[in-house]
Amino acid sequence: MSSKLLGERIKRKEDPRLIQGRSHYVDDIQLCGMLYLAFVRSPHAHAEIKAIHSEAAQKMPGVLAVYTGADLEGRLGLIPCAAGMEGLKVPPHPCLALRRVRYVGEPVAVVVASGRYQAVDAAAQVEVDYEPLPAITDLDKAVSSDSPVIHESLGDNIAFVAKLEGGDWKAVESDASLKVIRQRLVNQRLAPLSMETRGVVASYSPGEDTLTVWSSTQIPHLLKTQLAVMTGMDEARVRVIAPEVGGAFGSKLNVYAEEGVACFVSRQFGKPVKWIESRRENLMATIHGRDQIDDLEIYFRPDGKVMGLKCHILANLGAYHQLLTPAIPTLTALMILGCYNIPAVFVETKGVFTNTMSTDAYRGAGRPEATYIIERVMDMVARELNLDPVEVRLKNFPPPGKDIVLATGVSYDTANYQKTLKKVLTLSGYKKLRREQARLRKKGKYLGIGLSTYVEICAMGPSSRMPAGGWESGTVRVEPTGKVTVLSGTSPHGQGEETSFAQIVAEELGVPYDDVTVYHGDTNQVPMGIGTFGSRTTAVGGTAIYHAAQRIKKKMARLAAVKLGAKPSELVFRDGKIETEDGSKSVKFGEVVGEAYFAKQLPPGLAPGLVENYVFEPPNYTYPFGAHVAVVEIDNETGEVNLRNYFAVDDCGRILNPMLVDGQIHGGLAQGIGQALWEEHVYDENGQLLTGTLMDCAAPRAHQFCWFETANTETRTPVNPLGVKGVGEAGTIGSTPAIVNAVMDALRPLGVRHIDMPLKPEKIWQVLRGGSPQVV
Amino acid sequence: MIPEPFEYHSPQSLEEALRLVTEFGEEGKMMAGGHSLLPMMKLRLASPRHVIDLGRLSELRYIRESDGWIEIGALTTHFQIESSSLLREKCPLLPETAREIGDAQVRNLGTLGGSLAHADPAADWPAAILALDAEIRANSAGGERWIAAQDFFVGLMTTALAPGEILTAVRLPPLPRRAGDTYLKLRQPASGFAVVGVGVRLALNEAAHIERVAIGVTGIGPKAYRAAAVERELLGKPPTARRLAEAAARAADGVQTNSDLFASAEYRKHLASVYVRRALELALERANP
Ligand SMILES: Cc1cc2nc3c(=O)[nH]c(=O)nc-3n(C[C@H](O)[C@H](O)[C@H](O)COP(=O)(O)OP(=O)(O)OC[C@H]3O[C@@H](n4cnc5c(N)ncnc54)[C@H](O)[C@@H]3O)c2cc1C
């Protein structure tokens, strides 16, 4: 293990092909005789479908068929929801709308044509007669008893009510010394907006009776199962391949209508079928994230210790459940106490249907909402008591190193929140910043300093808590030439695990990094796995690979031991050799590989070949944490926010490749800061999407950010042998409240407690001129 | 995201382009950089039967100076303006404006003429051109004419160009002595276009009073405009801080103000006055080295 790879800034294996544009995304796949799909989508948020006229479209050049919901009924299964929650109402969710449409962009019909342009032109000619119904987009209205009902068979618009309660509320409520703050926080809807939109190629071969599907997905294995169920095919005859996937952020952790329809059409025609999502479709018909209203009651002592937190969550689910829609807000409840030992908690979550696109997992998935709530709570308490927010946090942290079980029932693995906080205060020069702020305030200038000390839950997760299993598989195969193939059941799509997995295996086997090739995403090539989401890929998938590598080593050590006349336990793998620690007895790695394959002198009981699989079931989640400081300046004439500095100290456990960690943190910060300052995905009261193009939907750009000062602490988790926790979502989870806290801190002299995101300059201007911030 | 079918034409000379433009009339659309036209076609907000690509008319791609006037060909890209050393020296407002437009890809393809002809109410060039008292040349089968910038922007995405006319050049009068100019902009975070954009050129006389001032404002109303009320308040006066501020408060006087998800009409009016004042202050600083 001399070749030092783990912990180094190793360049990404993925990059040369990606940055030269020489790899293959779904749209790069061209098959002979391919047909193309274009969807006709509802322009109404809520309407009865009276009639669909497709005769004109059918006659257009190149058009082979037009299908409607009625054509698919009974022939293609419904879109699945995997969230198995007690009492959950699950409305039927057909791939093409049946009788009613419930959100703008809902697919109503599909045109099949021999060219993509022909399909799109013909789709424009399909006429649908709608009878519009009143649309419901407002959460408060949707839950009121006189609201129109979106799914009539369900009775009302409430899909579920979940309660989470812990601690001694009697004691809290009867304690007259406690102060109480009541506050509503709105966590606005966002569009995940991956660079590559969705896309699918489905290719059914009638002779072989096999269906091959290329999809831009995070979960090829789960998708395979679901598509088999939807199409009624034998699962063993379905293959799903996730080729290069250009980002997803949770939005491709799903099974979508278009995937089902593509499979159906391919089976009808016995030909390959392609559909590539346009950006407009992406903004309206790919899942959205967040969208909660959180009504808080905070009970706290005059010294800053918070004794109880109540929260009523209205979670906007959209019109239907996608794969995990209703499960997302339950993560908010679970993580609502953040890294604070608050003795009493009460959370009631109502999942609410509205005439909007479904919400589902978007980077952080329920945890950014929780972190936003609790980190705003800490700052509001500090403000109320005129204490430094650092002090309030220190007062509420659990003591370091101890295993504690919070009132929510959650127990964290390696808590030491004081450590990251201390480090970020030093890194940012916090005290100096406070002095600068005081000076500037005297001059009427608004500088704001915002803190966020987050903890998140990731490395999802133990199967007992996951709807579809939380284990992961890994295979290591040493080829006869000594090159190494690694197969993972995960499905990375930008994170860089081809690199980190190769680092793990090369270091374990003592072979060159370049000799290791990692494959993932093809269900016929790699063993069944779960996928990439919930910051789980390295912690769960990497661990499976690590164990598979151990099995290879065990076998190779036995072979080498025979050759060397040593004990297997004495041998180490390094520099392409297997040898004793002192190097006195040594055999080339390749020689032992040859032995395994030629199988001339195998020790009794040892099978030929060198391939090992391992399935890792994590005993627990992991809980990365961190502390961030944001510094903002407010233009006191226009309300514009200038992000001046950002400091992030994150503890994601052991770091296998600092460059990959930096990349994840930087991207995560951009998304989290984007929510705080710019992003919002907005429907009007008629359910029309106001941010349906990138002219209106504000995706953050590099030039809007300051330089990020990042640092880490490394507290290894005992949950897996690599000691890694997960880092894919941390930046997004931690940064949003840091920014909002900073802006509210800047505006402190103006006496305003809260402004909802995004902190558009006009809202701040309203406060600056003495008005209410909520006008915009 | 896929336009309706159209025919593509690539004229090799201005004459040929003029002929095609006349021939296709309403059914034809000229394309310069394509960075406004193509997005509209992809959204099917525009569906011309014929697209006449002006891209090959290299004779319309130049920046030159004669008799103190600077003339810029219509097909000159934003980036060519941004990086022109002549303009940086003689008319910094233009490179400063160019830098504020879109991103590198947009600046490499989008053209001055295309932007002016398109007359987007939040585009940057119109404000700059107004501040510079520029003139715009229009060529047609019948000849050419020059249109003052003030008369060019007629309404929401409409200009003084007549059917059959091609915008071929923009010319700018020389920078007066003791003059300064600048362009300031607040970007809409999604589109990058101007929530407000202000171009100012200001000249002082011997007595350091304001001898000339031209203020172009974009993003506020249906079209870019000269903030005439502000200019009137300033002409002939000494530019005290107070006077600049008082005058700037009238930046959106009489303008029918836009309102959208990002900024209400009231806020836009406020932004106009703040940005006009700041641009005036900066231009003054530059006129007073
Ligand atoms: C992502 C993006 C961001 C952008 N950001 C900004 C920004 O921040 N600020 C800004 O100002 N602009 C912005 N733009 C617009 C950009 O500057 C365009 O390039 C410009 O508006 C149009 O110029 P063009 O050469 O591309 O014209 P085209 O798109 O080719 O044409 C636009 C219109 O003008 C007509 N036309 C073109 N040339 C002539 C001519 N010579 N004579 C007569 N009619 C003509 C065309 O028929 C068409 O109707 C952005 C564009 C994009 C795509």
Side-chain angles (χ1 to χ4, degrees):
Chain A
M1 276 181 256
S2 56
S3 51
K4 184 83 184 89
L5 284 166
L6 291 181
E8 296 299 307
R9 288 184 181 270
I10 308 289
K11 281 194 183 164
R12 297 191 351 145
K13 278 188 185 280
E14 296 88 338
D15 284 344
R17 65 173 196 265
L18 290 177
I19 57 188
Q20 293 176 78
R22 291 166 66 179
S23 199
H24 293 86
Y25 296 84
V26 173
D27 202 13
D28 297 313
I29 292 160
Q30 296 299 341
L31 301 175
C32 212
M34 190 130 82
L35 306 179
Y36 295 81
L37 302 183
F39 286 86
V40 178
R41 294 178 186 275
S42 170
H44 297 285
H46 200 186
E48 292 288 346
I49 300 172
K50 288 297 173 193
I52 300 175
H53 309 283
S54 60
E55 303 77 14
Q58 308 249 23
K59 291 196 196 101
M60 304 255 308
V63 174
L64 298 164
V66 178
Y67 296 104
T68 65
D71 298 323
L72 301 193
E73 199 174 7
R75 299 165 79 193
L76 178 65
L78 302 176
I79 296 168
C81 170
M85 293 154 62
E86 221 180 56
L88 177 70
K89 292 181 195 164
V90 183
H93 188 184
C95 290
L96 296 177
L98 262 182
R99 295 178 281 281
R100 247 197 210 202
V101 287
R102 296 183 172 86
Y103 66 94
V104 167
E106 183 168 357
V108 171
V110 64
V111 174
V112 186
S114 41
R116 186 175 178 200
Y117 285 31
Q118 291 169 325
V120 171
D121 285 343
Q125 299 305 317
V126 175
E127 274 186 38
V128 185
D129 298 339
Y130 294 100
E131 193 172 298
L133 298 166
I136 308 130
T137 56
D138 183 280
L139 283 173
D140 288 314
K141 284 187 193 146
V143 295
S144 76
S145 56
D146 56 352
S147 168
V149 175
I150 294 172
H151 299 280
E152 273 166 345
S153 62
L154 303 182
D156 60 25
N157 296 321
I158 300 171
F160 70 90
V161 181
K163 287 200 176 109
L164 186 115
E165 196 170 356
D168 184 356
W169 271 104
K170 274 214 183 89
V172 172
E173 280 169 343
S174 62
D175 187 345
S177 72
L178 297 185
K179 292 172 159 264
V180 185
I181 294 177
R182 293 190 175 77
Q183 179 68 48
R184 170 170 273 209
L185 302 181
V186 177
N187 206 300
Q188 82 274 28
R189 182 178 286 242
L190 302 174
L193 212 65
S194 53
M195 193 81 88
E196 184 207 17
T197 57
R198 290 186 292 128
V200 58
V201 169
S203 182
Y204 178 70
S205 303
E208 295 93 329
D209 187 26
T210 54
L211 175 67
T212 305
V213 179
W214 289 261
S215 185
S216 186
T217 183
Q218 300 172 239
I219 46 163
H221 304 279
L222 301 181
L223 184 61
K224 178 196 68 168
T225 305
Q226 294 299 334
L227 290 176
V229 171
M230 287 164 78
T231 56
M233 274 190 70
D234 174 346
E235 187 176 357
R237 302 186 163 276
V238 181
R239 172 185 185 186
V240 172
I241 302 170
E244 299 290 6
V245 173
F249 309 114
S251 72
K252 296 170 183 172
L253 161 52
N254 234 307
V255 178
Y256 283 102
E258 296 86 351
E259 289 168 322
V261 171
C263 293
F264 172 84
V265 173
S266 181
R267 292 188 76 209
Q268 290 298 301
F269 287 89
K271 286 192 170 184
V273 169
K274 182 189 267 191
W275 172 74
I276 300 296
E277 186 185 48
S278 72
R279 182 59 69 190
R280 296 198 85 191
E281 290 177 300
N282 179 253
L283 286 168
M284 65 184 171
T286 286
I287 62 101
H288 299 157
R290 319 279 189 264
D291 206 340
Q292 282 184 8
I293 295 178
D294 305 306
D295 282 305
L296 299 173
E297 279 175 42
I298 313 149
Y299 296 78
F300 55 103
R301 290 198 319 230
D303 67 352
K305 170 82 182 155
V306 180
M307 300 305 292
L309 179 64
K310 280 191 188 173
C311 182
H312 290 264
I313 299 176
L314 288 180
N316 195 339
L317 304 178
Y320 300 93
H321 298 315
Q322 281 282 342
L323 194 65
L324 296 171
T325 299
I328 303 305
T330 63
L331 280 172
T332 305
L334 194 68
M335 294 305 290
I336 200 160
L337 295 184
C339 52
Y340 307 103
N341 194 6
I342 297 173
V345 66
F346 174 88
V347 187
E348 185 197 70
T349 310
K350 274 196 186 127
V352 184
F353 292 117
T354 60
N355 291 116
T356 61
M357 179 59 199
S358 309
T359 55
D360 204 320
Y362 167 53
R363 203 168 190 174
R367 293 106 85 204
E369 295 89 321
T371 307
Y372 183 65
I373 292 169
I374 190 66
E375 289 305 308
R376 287 292 298 127
V377 162
M378 287 298 139
D379 267 46
M380 288 190 283
V381 168
R383 175 181 178 280
E384 199 71 20
L385 297 172
N386 211 8
L387 294 172
D388 190 300
V390 172
E391 204 179 313
V392 173
R393 282 175 171 77
L394 288 170
K395 184 132 269 157
N396 288 284
F397 281 159
K402 292 241 173 68
D403 279 351
I404 64 142
V405 182
L406 296 185
T408 42
V410 181
S411 66
Y412 297 143
D413 57 350
T414 55
N416 190 344
Y417 310 121
Q418 291 83 352
K419 185 167 68 172
T420 41
L421 176 56
K422 191 166 169 222
K423 187 156 179 174
V424 84
L425 294 179
T426 311
L427 185 69
S428 62
Y430 184 76
K431 286 201 179 121
K432 216 169 133 205
L433 283 170
R434 286 283 174 212
R435 286 197 295 273
E436 181 185 358
Q437 177 181 51
R439 266 200 318 276
L440 289 172
R441 272 189 186 156
K442 283 191 197 123
K443 293 189 200 155
K445 289 191 177 158
Y446 302 119
L447 181 83
I449 305 156
L451 265 172
S452 160
T453 46
Y454 73 90
V455 61
E456 63 132 332
I457 177 171
C458 75
M460 311 229 165
S463 294
S464 58
R465 316 258 198 90
M466 303 284 294
W471 47 271
E472 198 48 84
S473 69
T475 300
V476 176
R477 185 170 75 221
V478 183
E479 307 292 350
T481 54
K483 304 287 177 181
V484 182
T485 301
V486 176
L487 309 175
S488 174
T490 65
S491 201
H493 43 279
Q495 295 86 348
E497 275 91 356
E498 280 176 43
T499 302
S500 49
F501 289 172
Q503 285 178 264
I504 294 171
V505 172
E507 177 140 324
E508 284 302 318
L509 300 186
V511 299
Y513 168 70
D514 289 338
D515 282 3
V516 182
T517 302
V518 178
Y519 294 100
H520 54 75
D522 179 346
T523 61
N524 270 19
Q525 182 184 39
V526 306
M528 175 80 187
I530 303 292
T532 287
F533 54 87
S535 301
R536 69 189 302 276
T537 303
T538 306
V540 188
T543 301
I545 287 164
Y546 170 84
H547 282 301
Q550 298 310 314
R551 288 185 170 170
I552 291 280
K553 282 171 79 172
K554 203 167 161 204
K555 185 167 184 179
M556 290 184 77
R558 270 189 74 189
L559 288 169
V562 174
K563 276 203 179 292
L564 298 173
K567 284 201 217 114
S569 60
E570 288 173 350
L571 300 176
V572 295
F573 288 64
R574 66 186 169 207
D575 302 334
K577 288 174 291 194
I578 302 169
E579 56 191 15
T580 52
E581 186 59 57
D582 63 4
S584 62
K585 295 178 183 170
S586 177
V587 57
K588 284 206 176 109
F589 184 82
E591 215 174 300
V592 179
V593 174
E595 192 62 47
Y597 280 100
F598 306 142
K600 305 295 182 207
Q601 290 171 335
L602 294 182
L606 209 64
L610 279 175
V611 52
E612 295 289 348
N613 185 46
Y614 191 95
V615 176
F616 177 62
E617 170 63 48
N620 193 359
Y621 299 105
T622 64
Y623 297 92
F625 55 90
H628 293 187
V629 168
V631 183
V632 301
E633 296 162 330
I634 311 283
D635 184 319
N636 59 9
E637 280 186 296
T638 62
E640 289 166 70
V641 177
N642 175 36
L643 177 60
R644 194 181 86 175
N645 310 95
Y646 200 93
F647 305 93
V649 176
D650 296 280
D651 192 319
C652 56
R654 180 175 179 203
I655 294 175
L656 301 185
N657 183 335
M659 191 180 69
L660 295 182
V661 168
D662 283 351
Q664 289 299 308
I665 292 292
H666 278 238
L669 293 178
Q671 274 173 316
I673 296 168
Q675 171 168 23
L677 292 179
W678 307 295
E679 292 185 61
E680 56 181 338
H681 213 30
V682 186
Y683 286 95
D684 70 11
E685 67 279 8
N686 299 316
Q688 291 297 326
L689 189 59
L690 298 182
T691 44
T693 74
L694 291 178
M695 290 293 282
D696 302 297
C697 182
R701 326 280 162 93
H703 71 80
Q704 292 168 302
F705 297 104
C706 60
W707 180 249
F708 300 144
E709 296 277 348
T710 60
N712 298 93
T713 59
E714 275 190 73
T715 314
R716 296 187 182 201
T717 176
V719 170
N720 61 63
L722 293 170
V724 302
K725 293 176 182 167
V727 69
E729 296 157 289
T732 313
I733 291 168
S735 58
T736 308
I739 298 290
V740 176
N741 284 342
V743 172
M744 297 320 301
D745 181 58
L747 300 177
R748 181 93 191 269
L750 297 167
V752 52
R753 183 162 78 197
H754 179 72
I755 307 178
D756 278 324
M757 303 182 288
L759 298 173
K760 293 191 274 192
E762 181 164 5
K763 294 184 189 172
I764 294 168
W765 173 66
Q766 297 288 9
V767 170
L768 289 166
R769 67 208 280 252
S772 147
Q774 309 300 7
V775 179
V776 183
Chain B
M1 293 290 164
I2 293 177
E4 286 185 41
F6 61 89
E7 257 180 70
Y8 173 83
H9 307 267
S10 178
Q12 304 296 314
S13 68
L14 184 58
E15 285 65 46
E16 192 188 346
L18 284 168
R19 198 166 40 72
L20 292 172
V21 167
T22 315
E23 183 185 331
F24 298 132
E26 291 273 276
E27 298 214 312
K29 265 277 179 203
M30 286 172 257
M31 180 173 85
H35 268 49
S36 290
L37 181 63
L38 293 180
M40 301 237 301
M41 288 170 62
K42 287 183 180 179
L43 294 172
R44 300 198 169 197
L45 295 172
S47 299
R49 310 277 333 134
H50 300 273
V51 169
I52 305 152
D53 183 359
L54 306 179
R56 304 281 159 82
L57 308 183
S58 47
E59 68 226 67
L60 296 184
R61 220 181 274 274
Y62 59 85
I63 302 172
R64 61 177 170 242
E65 188 183 20
S66 61
D67 303 331
W69 285 68
I70 290 170
E71 192 174 302
I72 305 174
L75 282 176
T76 309
T77 63
H78 309 329
F79 175 73
Q80 285 168 330
I81 295 174
E82 181 184 0
S83 56
S84 153
S85 47
L86 175 70
L87 291 178
R88 282 184 184 187
E89 187 195 329
K90 295 283 170 69
C91 188
L93 192 159
L94 286 179
E96 257 174 39
T97 308
R99 215 169 45 214
E100 291 290 335
I101 298 175
D103 49 41
Q105 291 92 323
V106 173
R107 294 197 290 276
N108 275 327
L109 276 168
T111 66
L112 175 63
S115 175
L116 294 175
H118 192 61
D120 187 294
D124 294 296
W125 285 129
I129 292 303
L130 284 165
L132 293 174
D133 265 326
E135 291 172 15
I136 290 155
R137 190 174 67 203
N139 285 57
S140 64
E144 66 169 57
R145 61 177 179 132
W146 288 93
I147 308 166
Q150 286 246 48
D151 304 327
F152 186 75
F153 303 103
V154 174
L156 182 69
M157 301 181 95
T158 39
T159 66
L161 288 175
E165 276 186 326
I166 298 182
L167 194 165
T168 50
V170 173
R171 73 176 177 200
L172 318 162
L175 188 67
R177 274 184 343 105
R178 289 199 74 187
D181 57 24
T182 192
Y183 183 75
L184 292 184
K185 173 186 185 182
L186 173 60
R187 280 170 167 253
Q188 209 270 23
S191 69
F193 277 81
V195 178
V196 57
V198 177
V200 165
R201 176 176 272 191
L202 167 159
L204 301 176
N205 63 18
E206 299 294 310
H209 290 188
I210 296 178
E211 184 176 69
R212 291 192 40 219
V213 58
I215 304 165
V217 182
T218 188
I220 299 294
K223 61 171 185 146
Y225 62 92
R226 281 275 291 265
V230 183
E231 294 173 7
R232 271 197 305 275
E233 297 269 314
L234 294 174
L235 268 181
K237 311 267 172 58
T240 61
R242 175 131 176 248
R243 176 159 282 121
L244 295 187
E246 278 172 9
R250 316 192 55 176
D253 272 13
V255 178
Q256 186 201 342
T257 318
N258 303 334
S259 166
D260 58 24
L261 206 56
F262 184 77
S264 70
E266 191 196 11
Y267 180 55
R268 264 200 168 74
K269 270 198 160 79
H270 170 74
L271 287 175
S273 60
V274 173
Y275 273 77
V276 164
R277 195 201 72 231
R278 289 179 182 177
L280 283 167
E281 287 167 356
L282 194 56
L284 179 68
E285 216 175 286
R286 289 176 177 178
N288 263 330

